[in-house]
Amino acid sequence: MKECNIYVVTHKTMELSEKLTDAGFSLISVGNACEKNKQGFSDNVGDNISYKNANYCELTALYWIWKNDEESKYKGLCHYRRFFSKGYFSHDIENYMVDTDFINEFNKGIDIILPEKQYFIRSAEENYLRCGYRKDLDITRTVLFEKYPEYLNEYDNVMNGNKSYLTNMFVAKKEIFDEYCKWLFDILFEVERRTDISDYSIQEARIFGYISERLLTVWIWHNNYNYVEKHTINTDTPVNLSYIITQFFIKIKLYQFAKTIIWKMKQLIGVKNAKDS
């Protein structure tokens, strides 16, 4: 194993370039891609929950890394189309953060590297309800109260707030990576045990991947680890004038500021309407 191993999860047939494999990246295939990809690792060997992929999404890869990579000093997860990047205005592979970049951050005393927070004009709860059901959140909150009540305040703050760390991407020291996974899957397996998803659509059935995005933010906010946020790119997004302008506003934090202002205005209008009714 490498000192710093960044796993690129994919559900599609693909290969990583030699440039990436030489720079600390390993492919990990999930779902049907396990039988098609010959490079890297598959989440259906060893201690695994590969059969849950339709409901857990990239978390089946996260679980595999937790249980099967005992040697890497630093471990991380990104996607076949999403990478940490030092550049805001292109998808050039030369701008990708690689193993030496991550190790440099850890050598500065950083414990975990996260994607930049995403800001919204609606709450994290409202965002979830666009793809799932309120009962999912009620069950999650109950399980958290029963198992980890000390996290409840952060959970409520995250769900009532307008920002979260999405995509389930992060890089961390091994012991912190493993600690988070132990906490996360302890919660999700219990939520799964209590949740009937038999009539969910394909999108709704991805429930545990969606819930985990909120829980990562809860875990980060509760614990006192040193973390740093880094920019990420989605290589599926075309690099055009609109993209460059948006990325510029994100880089100077104006995009996030505008989203927060709109969010706060919506809250004030909601309070006023409640008083008027």
Side-chain angles (χ1 to χ4, degrees):
M1 287 289 183
K2 307 161 186 172
E3 180 182 15
C4 180
N5 209 339
I6 314 303
Y7 292 86
V8 181
V9 60
T10 181
H11 64 274
K12 295 185 175 184
T13 304
M14 69 168 293
E15 288 188 9
L16 287 182
S17 70
E18 185 176 343
K19 180 172 288 189
L20 288 181
T21 57
D22 287 346
F25 291 85
S26 295
L27 193 69
I28 181 166
S29 302
V30 300
N32 293 332
C34 290
E35 306 303 323
K36 299 175 182 177
N37 291 332
K38 304 304 180 185
Q39 184 190 44
F41 303 94
S42 297
D43 77 341
N44 64 352
V45 298
D47 189 346
N48 74 87
I49 55 169
S50 182
Y51 62 98
K52 297 179 183 284
N53 182 253
N55 310 124
Y56 278 75
C57 309
E58 63 272 0
L59 295 185
T60 60
L62 186 71
Y63 183 93
W64 189 94
I65 299 165
W66 169 38
K67 291 295 187 178
N68 295 279
D69 182 353
E70 292 292 332
E71 298 179 14
S72 299
K73 186 175 180 180
Y74 311 108
K75 301 190 286 189
L77 181 72
C78 64
H79 303 170
Y80 68 95
R81 65 184 187 277
R82 293 190 181 99
F83 294 87
F84 289 96
S85 176
K86 293 172 284 188
Y88 277 78
F89 307 116
S90 81
H91 296 160
D92 193 328
I93 194 172
E94 298 297 331
N95 289 329
Y96 289 6
M97 288 189 68
V98 297
D99 52 0
T100 53
D101 297 311
F102 295 119
I103 291 171
N104 284 340
E105 293 294 335
F106 293 124
N107 287 340
K108 295 175 186 175
I110 295 298
D111 297 313
I112 182 167
I113 298 163
L114 298 162
E116 292 173 311
K117 286 190 295 290
Q118 295 192 32
Y119 290 71
F120 307 97
I121 60 173
R122 60 186 67 86
S123 70
E125 178 181 79
E126 290 171 319
N127 268 337
Y128 182 87
L129 296 178
R130 294 161 71 92
C131 60
Y133 297 99
R134 185 173 298 280
K135 71 181 182 68
D136 305 338
L137 300 180
D138 292 341
I139 292 171
T140 301
R141 192 179 190 279
T142 298
V143 170
L144 197 66
F145 173 74
E146 293 174 1
K147 286 180 168 286
Y148 304 97
E150 67 274 19
Y151 284 83
L152 209 57
N153 184 57
E154 286 84 6
Y155 178 83
D156 290 339
N157 288 337
V158 168
M159 298 311 296
N160 292 323
N162 76 316
K163 51 187 178 288
S164 298
Y165 295 107
L166 301 184
T167 71
N168 287 313
M169 288 173 54
F170 68 97
V171 186
K173 295 178 178 178
K174 177 189 181 300
E175 59 271 20
I176 295 173
F177 186 103
D178 293 349
E179 176 190 314
Y180 169 67
C181 288
K182 181 179 179 181
W183 177 85
L184 175 69
F185 287 105
D186 187 37
I187 295 167
L188 292 182
F189 289 161
E190 183 59 26
V191 174
E192 180 185 17
R193 191 183 70 81
R194 303 184 190 190
T195 306
D196 180 9
I197 63 172
S198 58
D199 61 347
Y200 281 23
S201 68
I202 292 175
Q203 181 184 28
E204 293 164 351
R206 296 169 183 160
I207 166 178
F208 306 109
Y210 295 143
I211 290 174
S212 67
E213 291 180 304
R214 282 76 187 172
L215 290 179
L216 174 58
T217 309
V218 171
W219 188 80
I220 290 295
W221 285 9
H222 178 81
N223 292 290
N224 294 317
Y225 292 121
N226 293 324
Y227 66 87
V228 63
E229 298 178 13
K230 295 295 182 179
H231 185 61
T232 59
I233 58 167
N234 185 334
T235 57
D236 282 351
T237 305
V239 179
N240 51 30
L241 181 59
S242 175
Y243 175 84
I244 292 173
I245 291 173
T246 300
Q247 292 301 303
F248 173 75
F249 287 139
I250 290 174
K251 185 175 183 179
I252 66 173
K253 308 298 183 184
L254 184 59
Y255 185 83
Q256 298 90 319
F257 177 75
K259 287 286 187 74
T260 299
I261 292 297
I262 295 171
W263 154 250
K264 290 182 176 179
M265 289 177 63
K266 288 178 65 178
Q267 286 185 306
L268 290 173
I269 292 171
V271 170
K272 182 179 184 302
N273 288 340
K275 290 180 179 179
D276 291 342
S277 61

